[in-house]
Amino acid sequence: MKIVITGGAGFIGSSLARTLMKHCEISQIRVIDNLSTGRKENIAGLDVHFFEGDIQDAALLKQAFHGADAVVHLAALPSVPRSVQDPLASHHANATGTLQVLEAARRAGNLHVIAASSSSVYGANPRLPKREDLSAAPMSPYAVTKLATEAYLSAYHYSFHLPVLPFRFFNVYGPGQRADHPYAAVIPKWISAMLEGRPLTLHGDGTQTRDFTYVDTVCRVLADALLRRVVEPRPVNLAFSTRTSLLDLIPQIEAATGVRAHLERTADRVGDVFHSQADSTRLRALFPTITPTPLEEGISATADWLRTEQRMHSPA
Ligand code: NAD
């Protein structure tokens, strides 16, 4: 099988490339990435064909999709606050970009397309756990772009028989996730702050909850979906129905880093969802053999990776 990963130089995409390399059924991995938030060093040393460029470039997509079997579409400008700063940039990359990917997949002979939507589409809908058939209530431009992503997959399925699978990722974390930018996710940001002896910035009171999913678990689901060619036009939550508050994370990170946390409290973030917990019934029915990596194990591996990164980049 020849697989294209859009956004393959990013956090989840490069981890997926590493996972797919372990499967003998996968003969070639192609990565398309414009390196806007990803890095070339994430795929350094991996056996991948790299197409540097934008998913809005139809000619580049045509070249990269030629002769491929499937596409895992991860390219997007992630982050809620980034989309609040610049809604149009998020729309172009995430919504228009997805349409371009689907059009190229259709023209290349109806490739299997698996794409990343997000739990942010549930937004202001207060019901828990988040079942896929709850009504969407986006609270940020980012959430709208992800709703468009999954809606376009559904439309291409029904209009053109494109074999699709839209996943709603929840809070994915793990080795490879950058902590050194303003839109960094909470787990790498806090681990990195603790390793450097800085206080943890806490938005709100810390009782907000998340369904954290370890990146290796996500990649194992994606690989299984590719290898068994799982097709499902309805969105599928990719999380295992856990519920961890930000305050609950602190002792786990303290244990993994061996450092005592100091909090710096600040205001809630605009567009942030308060509680997030997946209903995983649909996921478990489609992927019965996948068991998630426990949070404690994932945080410990993430801390090990960030510690090594800090050593490598600190002045000798
Ligand atoms: P990431 O920023 O590390 O990866 C995204 C990659 O896409 C980057 O390498 C970036 O350079 C590339 N990219 C962005 N715009 C592009 C464009 N126009 N053309 C080509 N490449 C482009 O983020 P990630 O955390 O790996 O996220 C992967 C996907 O999962 C995204 O679609 C994101 O919205 C989604 N997602 C992630 C999470 C999470 O917790 N990490 C949660 C929900 C959804």
PDB file of all heavy atoms in Angstrom, residues 7-13 32-39 53-56 73-78 93 116-119 142 146 169-172 177, ligand 1:
ATOM      1  N   GLY A   7       0.235  16.943   6.144  1.00  0.00           N
ATOM      2  CA  GLY A   7       0.618  17.387   7.487  1.00  0.00           C
ATOM      3  C   GLY A   7       1.548  16.387   8.154  1.00  0.00           C
ATOM      4  O   GLY A   7       1.655  16.332   9.383  1.00  0.00           O
ATOM      5  N   GLY A   8       2.259  15.611   7.345  1.00  0.00           N
ATOM      6  CA  GLY A   8       3.100  14.525   7.880  1.00  0.00           C
ATOM      7  C   GLY A   8       4.373  14.984   8.570  1.00  0.00           C
ATOM      8  O   GLY A   8       5.051  14.161   9.202  1.00  0.00           O
ATOM      9  N   ALA A   9       4.698  16.277   8.471  1.00  0.00           N
ATOM     10  CA  ALA A   9       5.864  16.766   9.213  1.00  0.00           C
ATOM     11  C   ALA A   9       5.451  17.361  10.557  1.00  0.00           C
ATOM     12  O   ALA A   9       6.271  17.935  11.280  1.00  0.00           O
ATOM     13  CB  ALA A   9       6.625  17.814   8.382  1.00  0.00           C
ATOM     14  N   GLY A  10       4.170  17.212  10.880  1.00  0.00           N
ATOM     15  CA  GLY A  10       3.676  17.723  12.160  1.00  0.00           C
ATOM     16  C   GLY A  10       3.793  16.680  13.263  1.00  0.00           C
ATOM     17  O   GLY A  10       4.362  15.595  13.060  1.00  0.00           O
ATOM     18  N   PHE A  11       3.233  17.002  14.398  1.00  0.00           N
ATOM     19  CA  PHE A  11       3.307  16.146  15.589  1.00  0.00           C
ATOM     20  C   PHE A  11       2.676  14.764  15.321  1.00  0.00           C
ATOM     21  O   PHE A  11       3.365  13.726  15.369  1.00  0.00           O
ATOM     22  CB  PHE A  11       2.627  16.893  16.742  1.00  0.00           C
ATOM     23  CG  PHE A  11       2.156  16.046  17.884  1.00  0.00           C
ATOM     24  CD1 PHE A  11       3.000  15.133  18.506  1.00  0.00           C
ATOM     25  CD2 PHE A  11       0.852  16.184  18.374  1.00  0.00           C
ATOM     26  CE1 PHE A  11       2.556  14.349  19.573  1.00  0.00           C
ATOM     27  CE2 PHE A  11       0.401  15.412  19.433  1.00  0.00           C
ATOM     28  CZ  PHE A  11       1.253  14.488  20.023  1.00  0.00           C
ATOM     29  N   ILE A  12       1.382  14.731  15.000  1.00  0.00           N
ATOM     30  CA  ILE A  12       0.712  13.444  14.830  1.00  0.00           C
ATOM     31  C   ILE A  12       1.164  12.784  13.519  1.00  0.00           C
ATOM     32  O   ILE A  12       1.407  11.575  13.467  1.00  0.00           O
ATOM     33  CB  ILE A  12      -0.828  13.611  14.858  1.00  0.00           C
ATOM     34  CG1 ILE A  12      -1.271  14.227  16.195  1.00  0.00           C
ATOM     35  CG2 ILE A  12      -1.536  12.268  14.636  1.00  0.00           C
ATOM     36  CD1 ILE A  12      -2.743  14.634  16.266  1.00  0.00           C
ATOM     37  N   GLY A  13       1.321  13.574  12.463  1.00  0.00           N
ATOM     38  CA  GLY A  13       1.682  13.029  11.152  1.00  0.00           C
ATOM     39  C   GLY A  13       3.031  12.316  11.161  1.00  0.00           C
ATOM     40  O   GLY A  13       3.173  11.231  10.582  1.00  0.00           O
ATOM     41  N   ILE A  32       3.054  15.281   2.548  1.00  0.00           N
ATOM     42  CA  ILE A  32       2.912  16.645   2.005  1.00  0.00           C
ATOM     43  C   ILE A  32       2.835  17.582   3.197  1.00  0.00           C
ATOM     44  O   ILE A  32       2.024  17.362   4.103  1.00  0.00           O
ATOM     45  CB  ILE A  32       1.597  16.826   1.217  1.00  0.00           C
ATOM     46  CG1 ILE A  32       1.482  15.803   0.097  1.00  0.00           C
ATOM     47  CG2 ILE A  32       1.489  18.239   0.675  1.00  0.00           C
ATOM     48  CD1 ILE A  32       0.157  15.920  -0.656  1.00  0.00           C
ATOM     49  N   ASP A  33       3.643  18.623   3.192  1.00  0.00           N
ATOM     50  CA  ASP A  33       3.602  19.558   4.322  1.00  0.00           C
ATOM     51  C   ASP A  33       4.212  20.893   3.870  1.00  0.00           C
ATOM     52  O   ASP A  33       5.209  20.903   3.154  1.00  0.00           O
ATOM     53  CB  ASP A  33       4.402  19.000   5.512  1.00  0.00           C
ATOM     54  CG  ASP A  33       3.941  19.575   6.833  1.00  0.00           C
ATOM     55  OD1 ASP A  33       4.048  20.818   7.016  1.00  0.00           O
ATOM     56  OD2 ASP A  33       3.456  18.809   7.690  1.00  0.00           O
ATOM     57  N   ASN A  34       3.588  21.983   4.293  1.00  0.00           N
ATOM     58  CA  ASN A  34       4.167  23.302   3.949  1.00  0.00           C
ATOM     59  C   ASN A  34       5.038  23.852   5.080  1.00  0.00           C
ATOM     60  O   ASN A  34       5.484  24.990   5.019  1.00  0.00           O
ATOM     61  CB  ASN A  34       3.061  24.300   3.580  1.00  0.00           C
ATOM     62  CG  ASN A  34       2.180  24.675   4.766  1.00  0.00           C
ATOM     63  OD1 ASN A  34       2.352  24.148   5.863  1.00  0.00           O
ATOM     64  ND2 ASN A  34       1.246  25.573   4.557  1.00  0.00           N
ATOM     65  N   LEU A  35       5.242  23.063   6.104  1.00  0.00           N
ATOM     66  CA  LEU A  35       6.118  23.397   7.243  1.00  0.00           C
ATOM     67  C   LEU A  35       5.673  24.681   7.953  1.00  0.00           C
ATOM     68  O   LEU A  35       6.488  25.387   8.532  1.00  0.00           O
ATOM     69  CB  LEU A  35       7.592  23.506   6.781  1.00  0.00           C
ATOM     70  CG  LEU A  35       8.149  22.245   6.108  1.00  0.00           C
ATOM     71  CD1 LEU A  35       9.585  22.476   5.642  1.00  0.00           C
ATOM     72  CD2 LEU A  35       8.110  21.045   7.071  1.00  0.00           C
ATOM     73  N   SER A  36       4.364  24.962   7.923  1.00  0.00           N
ATOM     74  CA  SER A  36       3.886  26.163   8.621  1.00  0.00           C
ATOM     75  C   SER A  36       3.945  25.964  10.137  1.00  0.00           C
ATOM     76  O   SER A  36       4.422  26.850  10.857  1.00  0.00           O
ATOM     77  CB  SER A  36       2.474  26.533   8.181  1.00  0.00           C
ATOM     78  OG  SER A  36       1.605  25.423   8.278  1.00  0.00           O
ATOM     79  N   THR A  37       3.484  24.818  10.619  1.00  0.00           N
ATOM     80  CA  THR A  37       3.652  24.523  12.054  1.00  0.00           C
ATOM     81  C   THR A  37       4.505  23.267  12.255  1.00  0.00           C
ATOM     82  O   THR A  37       4.951  22.991  13.357  1.00  0.00           O
ATOM     83  CB  THR A  37       2.287  24.307  12.759  1.00  0.00           C
ATOM     84  OG1 THR A  37       1.607  23.213  12.126  1.00  0.00           O
ATOM     85  CG2 THR A  37       1.409  25.535  12.683  1.00  0.00           C
ATOM     86  N   GLY A  38       4.704  22.509  11.193  1.00  0.00           N
ATOM     87  CA  GLY A  38       5.534  21.291  11.283  1.00  0.00           C
ATOM     88  C   GLY A  38       7.001  21.611  11.060  1.00  0.00           C
ATOM     89  O   GLY A  38       7.368  22.751  10.771  1.00  0.00           O
ATOM     90  N   ARG A  39       7.828  20.598  11.186  1.00  0.00           N
ATOM     91  CA  ARG A  39       9.274  20.787  11.039  1.00  0.00           C
ATOM     92  C   ARG A  39       9.852  19.647  10.215  1.00  0.00           C
ATOM     93  O   ARG A  39       9.475  18.487  10.426  1.00  0.00           O
ATOM     94  CB  ARG A  39       9.968  20.688  12.391  1.00  0.00           C
ATOM     95  CG  ARG A  39       9.806  21.834  13.304  1.00  0.00           C
ATOM     96  CD  ARG A  39      10.457  21.408  14.595  1.00  0.00           C
ATOM     97  NE  ARG A  39      10.502  22.471  15.577  1.00  0.00           N
ATOM     98  CZ  ARG A  39      11.012  22.314  16.779  1.00  0.00           C
ATOM     99  NH1 ARG A  39      11.499  21.150  17.141  1.00  0.00           N
ATOM    100  NH2 ARG A  39      11.032  23.323  17.627  1.00  0.00           N
ATOM    101  N   GLY A  53       5.081  21.662   0.302  1.00  0.00           N
ATOM    102  CA  GLY A  53       4.151  22.574  -0.352  1.00  0.00           C
ATOM    103  C   GLY A  53       2.807  22.545   0.333  1.00  0.00           C
ATOM    104  O   GLY A  53       2.614  21.861   1.343  1.00  0.00           O
ATOM    105  N   ASP A  54       1.887  23.303  -0.254  1.00  0.00           N
ATOM    106  CA  ASP A  54       0.593  23.561   0.374  1.00  0.00           C
ATOM    107  C   ASP A  54      -0.488  22.635  -0.182  1.00  0.00           C
ATOM    108  O   ASP A  54      -0.503  22.377  -1.391  1.00  0.00           O
ATOM    109  CB  ASP A  54       0.222  25.028   0.107  1.00  0.00           C
ATOM    110  CG  ASP A  54      -0.778  25.523   1.108  1.00  0.00           C
ATOM    111  OD1 ASP A  54      -1.945  25.074   1.092  1.00  0.00           O
ATOM    112  OD2 ASP A  54      -0.386  26.355   1.951  1.00  0.00           O
ATOM    113  N   ILE A  55      -1.391  22.200   0.687  1.00  0.00           N
ATOM    114  CA  ILE A  55      -2.491  21.344   0.215  1.00  0.00           C
ATOM    115  C   ILE A  55      -3.481  22.129  -0.648  1.00  0.00           C
ATOM    116  O   ILE A  55      -4.377  21.538  -1.227  1.00  0.00           O
ATOM    117  CB  ILE A  55      -3.251  20.652   1.378  1.00  0.00           C
ATOM    118  CG1 ILE A  55      -3.684  21.674   2.429  1.00  0.00           C
ATOM    119  CG2 ILE A  55      -2.422  19.533   1.981  1.00  0.00           C
ATOM    120  CD1 ILE A  55      -4.706  21.137   3.414  1.00  0.00           C
ATOM    121  N   GLN A  56      -3.319  23.444  -0.711  1.00  0.00           N
ATOM    122  CA  GLN A  56      -4.189  24.205  -1.613  1.00  0.00           C
ATOM    123  C   GLN A  56      -3.613  24.256  -3.035  1.00  0.00           C
ATOM    124  O   GLN A  56      -4.192  24.890  -3.917  1.00  0.00           O
ATOM    125  CB  GLN A  56      -4.411  25.602  -1.050  1.00  0.00           C
ATOM    126  CG  GLN A  56      -5.237  25.539   0.226  1.00  0.00           C
ATOM    127  CD  GLN A  56      -5.371  26.882   0.889  1.00  0.00           C
ATOM    128  OE1 GLN A  56      -6.173  27.697   0.469  1.00  0.00           O
ATOM    129  NE2 GLN A  56      -4.563  27.123   1.902  1.00  0.00           N
ATOM    130  N   HIS A  73      -5.424  12.629   6.062  1.00  0.00           N
ATOM    131  CA  HIS A  73      -5.392  14.093   5.926  1.00  0.00           C
ATOM    132  C   HIS A  73      -5.330  14.750   7.316  1.00  0.00           C
ATOM    133  O   HIS A  73      -6.334  14.848   8.017  1.00  0.00           O
ATOM    134  CB  HIS A  73      -6.646  14.534   5.152  1.00  0.00           C
ATOM    135  CG  HIS A  73      -6.817  16.010   5.105  1.00  0.00           C
ATOM    136  ND1 HIS A  73      -5.777  16.887   4.873  1.00  0.00           N
ATOM    137  CD2 HIS A  73      -7.926  16.789   5.256  1.00  0.00           C
ATOM    138  CE1 HIS A  73      -6.227  18.126   4.895  1.00  0.00           C
ATOM    139  NE2 HIS A  73      -7.522  18.084   5.139  1.00  0.00           N
ATOM    140  N   LEU A  74      -4.124  15.183   7.666  1.00  0.00           N
ATOM    141  CA  LEU A  74      -3.897  15.803   8.973  1.00  0.00           C
ATOM    142  C   LEU A  74      -3.478  17.268   8.841  1.00  0.00           C
ATOM    143  O   LEU A  74      -3.410  17.987   9.849  1.00  0.00           O
ATOM    144  CB  LEU A  74      -2.790  15.044   9.734  1.00  0.00           C
ATOM    145  CG  LEU A  74      -3.025  13.545   9.974  1.00  0.00           C
ATOM    146  CD1 LEU A  74      -1.792  12.902  10.608  1.00  0.00           C
ATOM    147  CD2 LEU A  74      -4.239  13.326  10.867  1.00  0.00           C
ATOM    148  N   ALA A  75      -3.153  17.707   7.621  1.00  0.00           N
ATOM    149  CA  ALA A  75      -2.673  19.086   7.457  1.00  0.00           C
ATOM    150  C   ALA A  75      -3.762  20.064   7.870  1.00  0.00           C
ATOM    151  O   ALA A  75      -4.896  19.959   7.423  1.00  0.00           O
ATOM    152  CB  ALA A  75      -2.269  19.333   6.006  1.00  0.00           C
ATOM    153  N   ALA A  76      -3.410  20.979   8.722  1.00  0.00           N
ATOM    154  CA  ALA A  76      -4.351  22.013   9.174  1.00  0.00           C
ATOM    155  C   ALA A  76      -3.578  22.981  10.045  1.00  0.00           C
ATOM    156  O   ALA A  76      -2.506  22.642  10.554  1.00  0.00           O
ATOM    157  CB  ALA A  76      -5.478  21.387   9.999  1.00  0.00           C
ATOM    158  N   LEU A  77      -4.138  24.179  10.198  1.00  0.00           N
ATOM    159  CA  LEU A  77      -3.603  25.074  11.225  1.00  0.00           C
ATOM    160  C   LEU A  77      -4.350  24.710  12.494  1.00  0.00           C
ATOM    161  O   LEU A  77      -5.544  24.980  12.609  1.00  0.00           O
ATOM    162  CB  LEU A  77      -3.839  26.536  10.855  1.00  0.00           C
ATOM    163  CG  LEU A  77      -2.905  27.097   9.785  1.00  0.00           C
ATOM    164  CD1 LEU A  77      -3.243  28.546   9.483  1.00  0.00           C
ATOM    165  CD2 LEU A  77      -1.436  26.979  10.212  1.00  0.00           C
ATOM    166  N   PRO A  78      -3.691  24.013  13.434  1.00  0.00           N
ATOM    167  CA  PRO A  78      -4.410  23.610  14.638  1.00  0.00           C
ATOM    168  C   PRO A  78      -4.539  24.802  15.602  1.00  0.00           C
ATOM    169  O   PRO A  78      -4.001  25.861  15.312  1.00  0.00           O
ATOM    170  CB  PRO A  78      -3.521  22.518  15.224  1.00  0.00           C
ATOM    171  CG  PRO A  78      -2.167  22.760  14.671  1.00  0.00           C
ATOM    172  CD  PRO A  78      -2.281  23.637  13.469  1.00  0.00           C
ATOM    173  N   ALA A  93      -6.621  27.098   5.231  1.00  0.00           N
ATOM    174  CA  ALA A  93      -5.829  25.867   5.391  1.00  0.00           C
ATOM    175  C   ALA A  93      -6.739  24.665   5.690  1.00  0.00           C
ATOM    176  O   ALA A  93      -6.556  23.591   5.121  1.00  0.00           O
ATOM    177  CB  ALA A  93      -4.811  26.037   6.513  1.00  0.00           C
ATOM    178  N   ALA A 116      -8.730  14.258   9.990  1.00  0.00           N
ATOM    179  CA  ALA A 116      -8.810  14.685  11.386  1.00  0.00           C
ATOM    180  C   ALA A 116      -9.780  15.841  11.539  1.00  0.00           C
ATOM    181  O   ALA A 116      -9.521  16.952  11.068  1.00  0.00           O
ATOM    182  CB  ALA A 116      -7.425  15.132  11.873  1.00  0.00           C
ATOM    183  N   SER A 117     -10.908  15.537  12.208  1.00  0.00           N
ATOM    184  CA  SER A 117     -11.750  16.616  12.706  1.00  0.00           C
ATOM    185  C   SER A 117     -11.386  16.764  14.188  1.00  0.00           C
ATOM    186  O   SER A 117     -10.315  16.290  14.598  1.00  0.00           O
ATOM    187  CB  SER A 117     -13.222  16.272  12.500  1.00  0.00           C
ATOM    188  OG  SER A 117     -14.042  17.268  13.081  1.00  0.00           O
ATOM    189  N   SER A 118     -12.237  17.405  14.955  1.00  0.00           N
ATOM    190  CA  SER A 118     -11.830  17.711  16.332  1.00  0.00           C
ATOM    191  C   SER A 118     -13.029  17.725  17.270  1.00  0.00           C
ATOM    192  O   SER A 118     -14.151  18.069  16.866  1.00  0.00           O
ATOM    193  CB  SER A 118     -11.154  19.083  16.315  1.00  0.00           C
ATOM    194  OG  SER A 118     -11.268  19.717  17.555  1.00  0.00           O
ATOM    195  N   SER A 119     -12.764  17.403  18.541  1.00  0.00           N
ATOM    196  CA  SER A 119     -13.805  17.450  19.566  1.00  0.00           C
ATOM    197  C   SER A 119     -14.335  18.875  19.743  1.00  0.00           C
ATOM    198  O   SER A 119     -15.397  19.062  20.328  1.00  0.00           O
ATOM    199  CB  SER A 119     -13.231  16.965  20.895  1.00  0.00           C
ATOM    200  OG  SER A 119     -12.143  17.781  21.262  1.00  0.00           O
ATOM    201  N   TYR A 142     -11.879  27.825  14.456  1.00  0.00           N
ATOM    202  CA  TYR A 142     -11.224  26.525  14.257  1.00  0.00           C
ATOM    203  C   TYR A 142     -12.263  25.406  14.234  1.00  0.00           C
ATOM    204  O   TYR A 142     -12.239  24.527  13.365  1.00  0.00           O
ATOM    205  CB  TYR A 142     -10.209  26.290  15.379  1.00  0.00           C
ATOM    206  CG  TYR A 142      -9.628  24.887  15.407  1.00  0.00           C
ATOM    207  CD1 TYR A 142      -8.684  24.486  14.464  1.00  0.00           C
ATOM    208  CD2 TYR A 142     -10.033  23.959  16.376  1.00  0.00           C
ATOM    209  CE1 TYR A 142      -8.156  23.194  14.481  1.00  0.00           C
ATOM    210  CE2 TYR A 142      -9.505  22.679  16.401  1.00  0.00           C
ATOM    211  CZ  TYR A 142      -8.574  22.294  15.458  1.00  0.00           C
ATOM    212  OH  TYR A 142      -8.058  21.025  15.471  1.00  0.00           O
ATOM    213  N   LYS A 146     -13.281  22.549  11.282  1.00  0.00           N
ATOM    214  CA  LYS A 146     -13.254  21.095  11.478  1.00  0.00           C
ATOM    215  C   LYS A 146     -14.622  20.481  11.175  1.00  0.00           C
ATOM    216  O   LYS A 146     -14.714  19.365  10.680  1.00  0.00           O
ATOM    217  CB  LYS A 146     -12.796  20.770  12.904  1.00  0.00           C
ATOM    218  CG  LYS A 146     -11.309  21.059  13.101  1.00  0.00           C
ATOM    219  CD  LYS A 146     -10.490  20.112  12.252  1.00  0.00           C
ATOM    220  CE  LYS A 146      -9.087  20.515  11.997  1.00  0.00           C
ATOM    221  NZ  LYS A 146      -8.315  19.550  11.199  1.00  0.00           N
ATOM    222  N   PHE A 169     -10.610  13.942  16.732  1.00  0.00           N
ATOM    223  CA  PHE A 169      -9.543  13.793  17.722  1.00  0.00           C
ATOM    224  C   PHE A 169      -9.913  14.625  18.948  1.00  0.00           C
ATOM    225  O   PHE A 169     -10.464  15.712  18.829  1.00  0.00           O
ATOM    226  CB  PHE A 169      -8.204  14.330  17.185  1.00  0.00           C
ATOM    227  CG  PHE A 169      -7.589  13.536  16.055  1.00  0.00           C
ATOM    228  CD1 PHE A 169      -6.388  13.946  15.494  1.00  0.00           C
ATOM    229  CD2 PHE A 169      -8.177  12.382  15.557  1.00  0.00           C
ATOM    230  CE1 PHE A 169      -5.797  13.234  14.457  1.00  0.00           C
ATOM    231  CE2 PHE A 169      -7.605  11.658  14.524  1.00  0.00           C
ATOM    232  CZ  PHE A 169      -6.408  12.093  13.968  1.00  0.00           C
ATOM    233  N   PHE A 170      -9.559  14.107  20.123  1.00  0.00           N
ATOM    234  CA  PHE A 170      -9.708  14.889  21.342  1.00  0.00           C
ATOM    235  C   PHE A 170      -8.316  15.439  21.675  1.00  0.00           C
ATOM    236  O   PHE A 170      -7.553  15.700  20.768  1.00  0.00           O
ATOM    237  CB  PHE A 170     -10.360  14.025  22.438  1.00  0.00           C
ATOM    238  CG  PHE A 170     -11.861  13.918  22.266  1.00  0.00           C
ATOM    239  CD1 PHE A 170     -12.400  13.366  21.104  1.00  0.00           C
ATOM    240  CD2 PHE A 170     -12.731  14.407  23.218  1.00  0.00           C
ATOM    241  CE1 PHE A 170     -13.780  13.301  20.904  1.00  0.00           C
ATOM    242  CE2 PHE A 170     -14.108  14.335  23.043  1.00  0.00           C
ATOM    243  CZ  PHE A 170     -14.632  13.785  21.893  1.00  0.00           C
ATOM    244  N   ASN A 171      -7.950  15.627  22.920  1.00  0.00           N
ATOM    245  CA  ASN A 171      -6.635  16.247  23.188  1.00  0.00           C
ATOM    246  C   ASN A 171      -5.521  15.224  23.040  1.00  0.00           C
ATOM    247  O   ASN A 171      -5.321  14.407  23.932  1.00  0.00           O
ATOM    248  CB  ASN A 171      -6.627  16.869  24.590  1.00  0.00           C
ATOM    249  CG  ASN A 171      -7.495  18.100  24.633  1.00  0.00           C
ATOM    250  OD1 ASN A 171      -8.713  18.005  24.519  1.00  0.00           O
ATOM    251  ND2 ASN A 171      -6.876  19.251  24.749  1.00  0.00           N
ATOM    252  N   VAL A 172      -4.842  15.268  21.918  1.00  0.00           N
ATOM    253  CA  VAL A 172      -3.761  14.317  21.642  1.00  0.00           C
ATOM    254  C   VAL A 172      -2.475  14.896  22.230  1.00  0.00           C
ATOM    255  O   VAL A 172      -2.208  16.094  22.107  1.00  0.00           O
ATOM    256  CB  VAL A 172      -3.599  14.104  20.120  1.00  0.00           C
ATOM    257  CG1 VAL A 172      -2.594  12.994  19.845  1.00  0.00           C
ATOM    258  CG2 VAL A 172      -4.951  13.768  19.474  1.00  0.00           C
ATOM    259  N   GLN A 177       5.402  16.541  20.452  1.00  0.00           N
ATOM    260  CA  GLN A 177       4.512  17.712  20.480  1.00  0.00           C
ATOM    261  C   GLN A 177       5.278  18.908  21.037  1.00  0.00           C
ATOM    262  O   GLN A 177       5.777  18.863  22.156  1.00  0.00           O
ATOM    263  CB  GLN A 177       3.292  17.411  21.355  1.00  0.00           C
ATOM    264  CG  GLN A 177       2.196  18.445  21.243  1.00  0.00           C
ATOM    265  CD  GLN A 177       0.922  17.983  21.933  1.00  0.00           C
ATOM    266  OE1 GLN A 177       0.981  17.267  22.936  1.00  0.00           O
ATOM    267  NE2 GLN A 177      -0.223  18.387  21.421  1.00  0.00           N
TER     268      GLN A 177
HETATM  269  P1  NAD B   1       0.692  20.011  13.803  1.00  0.00           P
HETATM  270  O1  NAD B   1       0.605  21.501  13.684  1.00  0.00           O
HETATM  271  O2  NAD B   1       1.883  19.454  14.461  1.00  0.00           O
HETATM  272  O3  NAD B   1       0.525  19.340  12.364  1.00  0.00           O
HETATM  273  C1  NAD B   1      -0.165  19.948  11.297  1.00  0.00           C
HETATM  274  C2  NAD B   1       0.748  19.865  10.092  1.00  0.00           C
HETATM  275  O4  NAD B   1       0.058  20.399   8.945  1.00  0.00           O
HETATM  276  C3  NAD B   1       2.025  20.701  10.255  1.00  0.00           C
HETATM  277  O5  NAD B   1       3.147  19.923   9.926  1.00  0.00           O
HETATM  278  C4  NAD B   1       1.833  21.856   9.275  1.00  0.00           C
HETATM  279  O6  NAD B   1       3.070  22.354   8.780  1.00  0.00           O
HETATM  280  C5  NAD B   1       0.964  21.222   8.222  1.00  0.00           C
HETATM  281  N1  NAD B   1       0.153  22.190   7.472  1.00  0.00           N
HETATM  282  C6  NAD B   1      -0.642  23.165   7.975  1.00  0.00           C
HETATM  283  N2  NAD B   1      -1.252  23.820   6.974  1.00  0.00           N
HETATM  284  C7  NAD B   1      -0.837  23.234   5.815  1.00  0.00           C
HETATM  285  C8  NAD B   1      -1.118  23.459   4.451  1.00  0.00           C
HETATM  286  N3  NAD B   1      -1.958  24.438   4.075  1.00  0.00           N
HETATM  287  N4  NAD B   1      -0.524  22.686   3.517  1.00  0.00           N
HETATM  288  C9  NAD B   1       0.343  21.687   3.897  1.00  0.00           C
HETATM  289  N5  NAD B   1       0.643  21.419   5.179  1.00  0.00           N
HETATM  290  C10 NAD B   1       0.047  22.183   6.134  1.00  0.00           C
HETATM  291  O7  NAD B   1      -0.657  19.557  14.537  1.00  0.00           O
HETATM  292  P2  NAD B   1      -1.106  18.121  15.035  1.00  0.00           P
HETATM  293  O8  NAD B   1      -1.382  18.247  16.482  1.00  0.00           O
HETATM  294  O9  NAD B   1      -0.185  17.082  14.528  1.00  0.00           O
HETATM  295  O10 NAD B   1      -2.525  17.994  14.322  1.00  0.00           O
HETATM  296  C11 NAD B   1      -2.769  17.142  13.210  1.00  0.00           C
HETATM  297  C12 NAD B   1      -4.256  17.226  12.880  1.00  0.00           C
HETATM  298  O11 NAD B   1      -5.046  16.788  13.970  1.00  0.00           O
HETATM  299  C13 NAD B   1      -4.756  18.627  12.540  1.00  0.00           C
HETATM  300  O12 NAD B   1      -5.703  18.524  11.504  1.00  0.00           O
HETATM  301  C14 NAD B   1      -5.426  19.073  13.813  1.00  0.00           C
HETATM  302  O13 NAD B   1      -6.422  20.049  13.574  1.00  0.00           O
HETATM  303  C15 NAD B   1      -6.027  17.768  14.280  1.00  0.00           C
HETATM  304  N6  NAD B   1      -6.298  17.723  15.722  1.00  0.00           N
HETATM  305  C16 NAD B   1      -5.255  17.680  16.595  1.00  0.00           C
HETATM  306  C17 NAD B   1      -5.540  17.631  17.957  1.00  0.00           C
HETATM  307  C18 NAD B   1      -4.425  17.574  18.979  1.00  0.00           C
HETATM  308  O14 NAD B   1      -4.739  17.485  20.151  1.00  0.00           O
HETATM  309  N7  NAD B   1      -3.153  17.601  18.588  1.00  0.00           N
HETATM  310  C19 NAD B   1      -6.870  17.644  18.409  1.00  0.00           C
HETATM  311  C20 NAD B   1      -7.892  17.696  17.475  1.00  0.00           C
HETATM  312  C21 NAD B   1      -7.604  17.714  16.124  1.00  0.00           C
END
